[in-house]
Amino acid sequence: MIEIAIATEDALSEAVLETLVQHSGRPVQIAARLRRQGFGYLKSRMASFHQMAQWRPVLVLTDLDQAHCAPLLLRDWLRQPPAPNLLLRVAVREIEAWLLADGEAFATFMGIDPGKVPTQPERLPDPKQRLLSLVRQSRQRDVKRDLLPAPGSRTVQGLGYNEQLIRFVRDH
Amino acid sequence: MWITRLKLKNWRNFKQIDIALWDRVYLIGPNASGKSNLLDVFRFLRDIAKTSGGGLQKAVKDRHGITKLRCLQARTDPEVAIEVALAESLDSAAPKWTYAIGFKSEGKGPQRLLLNYERVSHQGQIVLNRPDADDQADPARLTQTHLEQINANAGFRPIAEFFASVTYLHLVPQLLKYGDAIGGKRLDDDPFGQGFLERIARCTPRTRDARLKRIQTALQVAVPQFKELRFVKDEVNGHPHLEAFYEHWRPSAGWQREEQFSDGTLRLLALLWSLLDGDSLLLLEEPELSLNEALVEKIPLLLDRLQRQARHQRQILLSTHSEALLRNPGIDGRGILRLEPEKEGTRIVEPDEAEQRMMETGLSAAEVLLPKARPARLDQWALFK
């Protein structure tokens, strides 16, 4: 068993990496989960990840967000040639696009028409907004209530946004 | 029923406030800014309205008299005033009920505590307006509210019952664990210690078992190796106890009593119980204490999910210092009230337009509002130089 560390910017991304590692079929075990809210922490710790990668593989996942393109982000973050066991991966634009990529499963989970899920989520300028607008069409009351802001509230998302999407990641 | 508005005058460290309340209210602010004092308004109304041992005089006396209760900044105006508006739903434009009292010391002779006024309105109609002719004929009547009198509050019984069933929780694990050793006087409906076990004991066995079962399921996830929870009465003295069974311990270790629970387990257990107990206003004092941050982060969602079950729908006011508790970007900014101590008493500030717009971009209340709740000049803080 190879022990690796994963570093992510939120609980949802962490769940996605866990699931990917689990389904990779490789003899890999996650021995450390590094996470603070937001990408700033990841970026500021890149030097530590470099050092760590000398003895334990490190898999880092961040969102591209509004940055211009992934190669530029990689160059900006890595500065030096990465240690062979430091893997930095970038979700274009953000992790929500990866969830939408499994259109059929997502449609089933939300109880919506699969035809409505965009087929090329990486081209979406704001995958999270698109995901939320799909949720609005959902017939699942509890899922909607968790994911969407309360009526009248001015927040972007609901209180159970991460919990519901993590459930989707793990179960589908 | 929901309390939609609260107005205070000269209440402890609030000289004058008028605030809107939502279904979830998070009170933030530096130490001694008045978070507990604000929660105490609702305990005060409960203490007036409760059917046994209640009443205005007792409620004020338990708070060490009006001189301690009255705002220090109230120099010329001796009156303390409270007004609440209650509605059946948070969306309704006009309140269903309003209840208002003003009281002060008599200012002469025996310095009795007297009502200046007591007013109740129901759907805009005045139901009670004191002092009335009877009060004028017999001023001693002004020592009591009609709220506390069964034969006088018939016209507004629903709000009397609502106030009487307000629940306050601030479990101090050591009081529960060392209750017998500490001994001493216990408070009425003691929210801090032993009273908690008695509250569980008073429940019908069926309801109790159903609730403990749900709590057990929650604790199995939250507390490693926790397996079972049960309620027992001591065979010798009949005192109520909670017992837990843990996996992987020596099999002979058997059931552990509450005095062996960890502080966090006890606090979490009490929090979960209080959420399931009753449907009136619930006041929580720093629910984050002793809990793992990952659990604290889940509290807002826990409260929201509870809200969806008609049986447990209730308004919750909580005070907090916790970054983790306010980290969820889904928290409705309207429910966050920041207490800001000033020379003329504490101000209560709702998020302004700029702050709301910051939260619209996905920033959490912890990021936008909590830094403002820090004491000013803390960067210079040190005990030793």
Side-chain angles (χ1 to χ4, degrees):
Chain A
M1 231 7 146
I2 306 164
E3 294 195 336
I4 66 160
I6 60 171
T8 53
E9 55 181 78
D10 56 33
L12 179 55
S13 303
E14 187 175 281
V16 169
L17 269 198
E18 276 174 1
T19 311
L20 288 176
V21 168
Q22 216 172 21
H23 288 265
S24 68
R26 307 262 183 108
V28 171
Q29 194 187 342
I30 298 172
R33 293 169 175 78
L34 303 163
R35 164 161 67 86
R36 290 268 177 86
Q37 217 61 34
F39 71 88
Y41 164 73
L42 296 180
K43 196 175 172 187
S44 69
R45 285 284 182 264
M46 283 311 286
S48 307
F49 298 158
H50 267 289
Q51 281 183 31
M52 231 172 98
Q54 309 292 332
W55 55 274
R56 170 183 276 171
V58 183
L59 176 52
V60 184
L61 175 64
T62 186
D63 288 348
L64 180 62
D65 290 323
Q66 296 315 310
H68 186 62
C69 70
L72 274 181
L73 185 144
L74 290 178
R75 204 159 23 153
D76 179 31
W77 279 40
L78 291 169
R79 298 194 186 240
Q80 46 185 314
N85 280 332
L86 174 62
L87 306 174
L88 174 57
R89 294 293 176 267
V90 184
V92 178
R93 300 277 163 193
E94 50 195 352
I95 197 69
E96 279 80 355
W98 290 17
L99 307 189
L100 293 174
D102 189 354
E104 214 157 293
F106 187 79
T108 315
F109 183 73
M110 292 297 161
I112 54 172
D113 170 13
K116 287 189 172 150
V117 185
T119 47
Q120 291 185 311
E122 290 200 324
R123 295 217 173 152
L124 296 172
D126 192 342
K128 181 168 177 170
Q129 271 317 319
R130 177 60 78 85
L131 185 146
L132 286 169
S133 73
L134 290 172
V135 175
R136 288 197 174 85
Q137 303 168 28
S138 166
R139 291 182 292 266
Q140 321 263 17
R141 232 168 42 125
D142 277 345
V143 174
K144 274 175 93 165
R145 170 119 189 206
D146 267 345
L147 283 162
L148 298 174
S153 152
R154 291 169 64 178
T155 60
V156 176
Q157 65 196 53
L159 287 164
Y161 184 84
N162 278 343
E163 280 75 4
Q164 282 295 347
L165 293 181
I166 288 171
R167 190 164 71 89
F168 167 66
V169 169
R170 296 213 171 120
D171 298 353
H172 288 82
Chain B
M1 205 141 48
W2 310 93
I3 298 183
T4 52
R5 190 149 214 104
L6 171 70
K7 291 187 201 174
L8 295 175
K9 190 183 78 181
N10 295 337
W11 173 268
R12 296 192 184 266
N13 55 342
F14 303 100
K15 195 171 172 198
Q16 192 99 46
I17 62 158
D18 180 356
I19 50 170
L21 299 177
W22 294 92
D23 53 349
R24 299 281 167 269
V25 181
Y26 300 83
L27 303 172
I28 59 173
N31 292 117
S33 58
K35 297 184 291 295
S36 305
N37 286 346
L38 193 69
L39 295 182
D40 194 43
V41 176
F42 304 102
R43 297 172 68 198
F44 181 76
L45 290 172
R46 181 199 61 191
D47 289 349
I48 295 177
K50 68 187 178 190
T51 41
S52 69
L56 176 67
Q57 300 295 327
K58 173 116 179 11
V60 173
K61 191 166 161 255
D62 285 347
R63 286 162 180 79
H64 309 289
I66 182 131
T67 47
K68 290 282 189 295
L69 199 59
R70 196 168 66 100
C71 184
L72 290 171
Q73 280 83 6
R75 286 178 203 92
T76 50
D77 183 356
E79 183 190 65
V80 176
I82 302 171
E83 181 176 337
V84 291
L86 300 106
E88 285 300 344
S89 88
L90 286 169
D91 312 322
S92 47
K96 187 168 184 190
W97 297 97
T98 61
Y99 180 79
I101 47 170
F103 52 92
K104 63 176 185 189
S105 178
E106 201 173 13
K108 58 177 184 198
Q111 297 287 0
R112 288 177 302 179
L113 177 81
L114 294 182
L115 278 173
N116 254 7
Y117 62 85
E118 181 181 24
R119 294 185 204 117
V120 182
S121 76
H122 180 230
Q123 282 164 341
Q125 304 290 316
I126 293 167
V127 183
L128 178 76
N129 191 4
R130 299 177 69 195
D132 54 19
D134 290 338
D135 295 325
Q136 260 136 21
D138 176 12
R141 291 171 60 98
L142 291 171
T143 59
Q144 293 190 337
T145 63
H146 278 196
L147 183 68
E148 72 203 64
Q149 300 170 54
I150 292 284
N151 50 8
N153 69 19
F156 52 99
R157 184 72 44 81
I159 57 171
E161 285 170 354
F162 176 83
F163 290 148
S165 54
V166 166
T167 322
Y168 171 77
L169 178 83
H170 185 33
L171 187 88
V172 182
Q174 284 69 19
L175 285 180
L176 191 56
K177 290 180 178 179
Y178 305 108
D180 292 338
I182 296 169
K185 182 172 167 269
R186 290 244 306 277
L187 299 172
D188 293 350
D189 16 74
D190 168 30
F192 304 113
Q194 185 68 21
F196 172 62
L197 289 176
E198 278 158 20
R199 221 143 87 188
I200 297 179
R202 275 199 301 272
C203 209
T204 64
R206 216 178 122 198
T207 315
R208 180 169 59 225
D209 291 346
R211 284 182 191 162
L212 289 180
K213 200 157 187 186
R214 287 182 73 173
I215 294 173
Q216 175 180 297
T217 315
L219 290 179
Q220 281 165 351
V221 180
V223 182
Q225 304 184 346
F226 181 93
K227 194 152 182 271
E228 265 183 273
L229 181 68
R230 72 179 183 192
F231 174 85
V232 291
K233 279 200 167 153
D234 191 289
E235 281 174 15
V236 181
N237 57 20
H239 287 174
H241 289 285
L242 286 169
E243 292 186 339
F245 196 83
Y246 290 81
E247 268 172 10
H248 306 308
W249 285 21
R250 285 176 292 114
S252 57
W255 292 82
Q256 309 283 314
R257 277 219 172 147
E258 74 276 344
E259 63 263 21
Q260 284 157 307
F261 292 7
S262 77
D263 289 1
T265 307
L266 269 177
R267 297 242 343 151
L268 183 58
L269 214 160
L271 171 68
L272 296 170
W273 178 273
S274 64
L275 292 176
L276 297 172
D277 189 18
D279 58 1
S280 185
L281 174 64
L282 175 63
L283 311 168
L284 299 172
E285 196 98 65
E286 300 182 36
E288 69 265 22
L289 293 181
S290 310
L291 297 185
N292 181 293
E293 207 180 75
L295 279 178
V296 174
E297 213 180 277
K298 300 274 183 200
I299 290 177
L301 178 63
L302 182 75
L303 303 183
D304 189 63
R305 287 199 170 155
L306 188 82
Q307 177 74 6
R308 293 175 217 177
Q309 303 180 333
R311 205 149 43 101
H312 299 300
Q313 260 192 24
R314 65 195 313 188
Q315 192 171 22
I316 299 177
L317 263 69
L318 64 85
S319 67
T320 183
H321 288 289
S322 167
E323 193 272 335
L325 199 139
L326 296 171
R327 193 183 288 156
N328 189 324
I331 294 174
D332 188 347
R334 291 174 300 182
I336 301 174
L337 300 177
R338 184 160 56 85
L339 276 62
E340 201 174 276
E342 286 182 345
K343 217 169 151 198
E344 287 298 298
T346 289
R347 254 178 6 121
I348 300 188
V349 199
E350 298 168 27
D352 62 20
E353 181 58 24
E355 288 160 347
Q356 286 275 16
R357 284 178 68 179
M358 282 167 83
M359 289 188 276
E360 260 173 49
T361 67
L363 295 177
S364 70
E367 291 167 282
V368 178
L369 300 171
L370 216 47
K372 299 190 175 181
R374 287 187 196 133
R377 302 195 308 276
L378 197 64
D379 48 346
Q380 303 294 315
W381 191 74
L383 183 55
F384 308 108
K385 291 213 168 171

